[in-house]
Amino acid sequence: MGESRIMWEPTPETVQKSNMMKFINAVNANHRLNIGSYGDLYQWSVDHLSDFWGDLWDFLEIKASRKFDRVVDDATIMPGAKWFEGARLNFAENLLRFRDDRVALVFRGEAVVTRKLTYADLFERVAKLSNALREYGIKPGDRVAGFIPNMPEAIIAMLAAVSVGATWSSCSPDFGINGVFDRFGQIQPRILFIADGYYYKNKKLSSLERVAGIVEKIPSIEKVIVIPYTEAQPDIGIIPNAVAYETSLPDSAARRSNSNSSRRISPCTSCIPREPPACPNAWCKAPRAS
Amino acid sequence: MVQSTAGILINQMKEMRLNTDLKREDTIFYFTTCGWMMWNWLTSALSIGATLVLYDGNPFYPDASTLWKMAEEEKITVFGTSAGYLQALEASGIKPGALFDLRSIRTILSTGSPLSPEQFDFVHRDIKEDVQLASISGGSDLNGCFVGANPIGPVFRGELQARCLGMKVKAYNENGEPVIGEKGELVCEAPFPSMPIYFWNDPDGSRYQSAYFDKYPNIWCHGDYINITDTGGVVIHGRSDATLNPGGVRIGTAEIYRQIESFDEIQDSVVVGQKWKGDVRVILFVLMKDGYTLTDDLKAKIRTAIKLNASPRHIPSKIIAVEGIPYTLNMKKVEVAVRKVIHNEEITNRDALSNPEALEYYKDIPELQS
């Protein structure tokens, strides 16, 4: 039709240096193949699902305390196929591989706020919050929700929640109250993270009253953790069971962090807080079962 | 929808590491809120050790150049956005390439709704010429893509680059046969790890089953209307539940939007099918730019353009001016809601709309009664 003309092509150098090409080389080595293009790789991947996802797991260096017994039980049933049975892993640990000074998050709150967090900052904050959630008693399977702007604390809260095995759900603070109730009312979260407000077209909008209304309708919510964004010290009194983000850490964690030993004492993010705590990582400092 | 840890992790890392070719030295941005799956998607970039940029607020405040100024300042290498945003950006008249140093940007990702060939032209002309413009598509249901970027292959104008690895995607015609080079329903014939493991409050799995598997048993039917080209690229013609079927001929709404884009007088539009005398007729609603009115002359021009560039079947029976077009919070036009309103059906999901009040413009329209 004369429609489809090429608007961009990668250079040979880009192709050679790409992660995709490295994966192709790995697949060729593993299976003695001669795949040379994306098209061939795609066809192989859908014709050999188990080999593909298995090779990919290794290539991506997925961190798991226990690898899968098999990639998939039956790739012909939809839905119902079980993937990676037997695997034990932690989502947060896989995302928090880096703990250095490279910038992890750049936050722009419209024209008002600019913040940067390094990977070291991010890890430390997730570890502290993760400890706090665990000490509060959040267990695998509990739901933790966020009604929260696109700010670093949304990611920190999500990672802390999944690090203790909780299930995370989030929506943005401009969502209508009925929509929020629809979502969170169904899943019955124990903890709700919010920010005090957000900026839109340079106007400060407060979330506090709306959240008070939401909490009234969702009795499962035991605690609301309020992150300061538009106000340094928001008046959280109108929300039942609200605590300020910084002080949501229990005293013992605050004391440990003051002495700069939080990293040393933090359990690793693989820990599954069953009774008793039993972490497979030898280097983990979590208290062990006696 | 409940998704598994390992399934989401491996699929998102695949898309970051392989499809986006993300490396430590990259700086990646996606315009999103944490109510949209692109937020979840973006967080996986942490596993690569790249820098993530988070923007909260109105992307057009103080003006349409805001995100591009930020791209220059933060030296963003992968810039993620939506077709809806790019449309509004083009309409603003701002040319980011002329205003800012965007040398750092190597890839622009676009999702949310189909990106027209003319929008590809806009990006290359007014943002950056030498850039990989990858239109990507998938769903919250898989927290990822069926069709996505390919760093080692070309970008064809108007096409999504390639079906994603491990996703056995086909286009089915009306007889359920896989076709190439023809329009059809996007299906996935084999399971993939990021499928939902179950729906909340769905103990016998019947809601999950009916959401995707009723049409073709044992096969995921996604609700997108596509064409897989013979180069392996994909064109998306719209949502299949918004597909119009006048006289039994299927039309994707994106095909009509593409023709409307060329009219400077028109700010925006929405197309739906109205049930009429046992068939369906095409209704085009237009939002005029300030200072312009919908004249009979303009209507004739619109019909001609559609007839010549699409087909006679695409010509709307009615072209009606409205004051607003409803969108979701992540900038997707809500055709299904408009269709319900004109048929006096109930809207259940008003809270997901960024401007639910716009639905009022579609109630009891006299021209639709005859």
Side-chain angles (χ1 to χ4, degrees), chain B residues 59-76:
Chain B
F60 291 97
Y61 182 83
D63 61 47
S65 69
T66 294
L67 296 183
W68 303 98
K69 180 158 182 272
M70 179 179 79
E72 180 192 72
E73 285 166 2
E74 299 301 337
K75 298 198 175 29
I76 288 171

Side-chain angles (χ1 to χ4, degrees), chain B residues 22-329:
Chain B
L22 203 69
K23 301 183 173 141
R24 269 223 93 173
E25 53 267 27
D26 277 303
T27 296
I28 180 167
F29 165 68
Y30 219 105
F31 178 69
T32 182
T33 69
C34 66
W36 191 26
M37 62 147 279
M38 294 317 288
W39 177 82
N40 302 77
W41 189 87
L42 180 66
T43 61
S44 295
L46 293 171
S47 68
I48 312 276
T51 297
L52 283 64
V53 178
L54 311 173
Y55 182 89
D56 191 79
N58 185 309
F60 291 97
Y61 182 83
D63 61 47
S65 69
T66 294
L67 296 183
W68 303 98
K69 180 158 182 272
M70 179 179 79
E72 180 192 72
E73 285 166 2
E74 299 301 337
K75 298 198 175 29
I76 288 171
T77 62
V78 179
F79 186 102
T81 181
S82 65
Y85 169 83
L86 289 172
Q87 190 187 341
L89 178 67
E90 188 173 4
S92 78
I94 291 225
K95 299 182 194 313
L99 298 173
F100 303 106
D101 175 0
L102 302 178
R103 273 177 294 177
S104 60
I105 301 180
R106 55 134 166 121
T107 297
I108 295 177
L109 302 172
S110 170
T111 193
S113 46
L115 193 67
S116 71
E118 288 73 27
Q119 287 185 286
F120 278 70
D121 296 338
F122 160 67
V123 170
H124 284 274
R125 187 184 61 235
D126 293 333
I127 301 179
K128 192 169 181 190
E129 195 190 331
D130 180 22
V131 74
Q132 175 196 18
L133 175 59
S135 182
I136 65 179
S137 177
S140 305
D141 2 39
L142 40 143
N143 218 279
C145 300
F146 278 129
V147 192
N150 174 13
I152 65 172
V155 174
F156 288 91
R157 181 176 182 264
E159 290 183 17
L160 290 76
Q161 285 186 281
R163 287 171 285 177
C164 288
L165 302 172
M167 303 301 212
K168 201 169 180 186
V169 170
K170 302 272 169 79
Y172 276 9
N173 66 13
E174 265 135 20
N175 300 326
E177 296 153 346
V179 290
I180 299 281
E182 279 174 51
K183 291 184 225 171
E185 279 274 12
L186 192 166
V187 301
C188 191
E189 289 180 336
F192 44 93
S194 66
M195 281 169 69
I197 44 179
Y198 58 88
F199 278 15
W200 200 264
N201 282 343
D202 181 29
D204 62 359
S206 55
R207 284 172 58 203
Y208 187 9
Q209 183 74 26
S210 68
Y212 308 103
F213 304 100
D214 274 354
K215 190 158 189 188
Y216 306 107
N218 223 32
I219 290 176
W220 176 294
C221 183
H222 195 56
D224 283 336
Y225 194 43
I226 67 168
N227 180 345
I228 301 173
T229 70
D230 49 26
T231 53
V234 176
V235 179
I236 300 191
H237 292 277
R239 295 286 301 158
S240 32
D241 59 3
T243 304
L244 311 172
N245 219 340
V249 175
R250 299 187 72 188
I251 295 175
T253 52
E255 296 158 42
I256 297 178
Y257 295 134
R258 217 187 128 183
Q259 300 316 318
I260 305 303
E261 275 170 25
S262 60
F263 288 91
D264 286 334
E265 305 93 319
I266 299 178
Q267 168 104 344
D268 201 356
S269 62
V270 63
V271 173
V272 296
Q274 183 195 20
K275 291 183 219 169
W276 188 254
K277 298 193 163 62
D279 191 4
V280 166
R281 59 183 186 175
V282 179
I283 311 290
L284 169 65
F285 295 99
V286 294
L287 175 67
M288 302 305 294
K289 275 198 186 141
D290 278 339
Y292 289 99
T293 31
L294 182 61
T295 59
D296 285 341
D297 189 52
L298 182 57
K299 286 187 196 178
K301 285 194 178 131
I302 291 171
R303 290 198 162 98
T304 304
I306 290 176
K307 180 176 161 190
L308 292 177
N309 299 318
S311 83
R313 288 271 169 220
H314 290 73
I315 301 175
S317 298
K318 305 268 179 175
I319 303 177
I320 299 170
V322 286
E323 309 274 311
I325 312 261
Y327 276 85
T328 63
L329 291 168

